[in-house]
Amino acid sequence: MPAIVGVAQVITLGNSSVFHIGDVYKIMPFAAAKTFSGAGSFNTGERLDVNNRLSTTNTFDPDSIDQANSFNM
């Protein structure tokens, strides 16, 4: 459905940000990232009790090339 929007002030947008108002046909990222984090790193909430004894994060990546973003233009 069409949208009628008043004034929109955008101060800043990051590298791979998306800003749209109203109808949109396709939204595709122009950047990709790989994140390594240890056990319990992305937990959110109140009163967490995380016990990670002898925990390691495996960052070994044998295939040096991941999925490309070449067609997202």
Side-chain angles (χ1 to χ4, degrees):
M1 292 180 63
I4 299 173
V5 179
V7 177
Q9 180 180 10
V10 178
I11 303 300
T12 184
L13 288 174
N15 249 355
S16 184
S17 299
V18 174
F19 175 77
H20 79 85
I21 296 175
D23 296 343
V24 65
Y25 169 70
K26 187 187 296 186
I27 297 177
M28 301 169 84
F30 287 107
K34 183 184 287 188
T35 303
F36 296 105
S37 62
S41 295
F42 294 119
N43 289 332
T44 58
E46 302 173 15
R47 296 189 316 225
L48 288 174
D49 183 20
V50 179
N51 297 310
N52 294 322
R53 292 183 181 88
L54 300 174
S55 177
T56 61
T57 301
N58 183 8
T59 59
F60 176 69
D61 188 13
D63 64 335
S64 69
I65 299 173
D66 293 323
Q67 184 176 357
N69 257 0
S70 56
F71 292 113
N72 288 345
M73 294 292 177

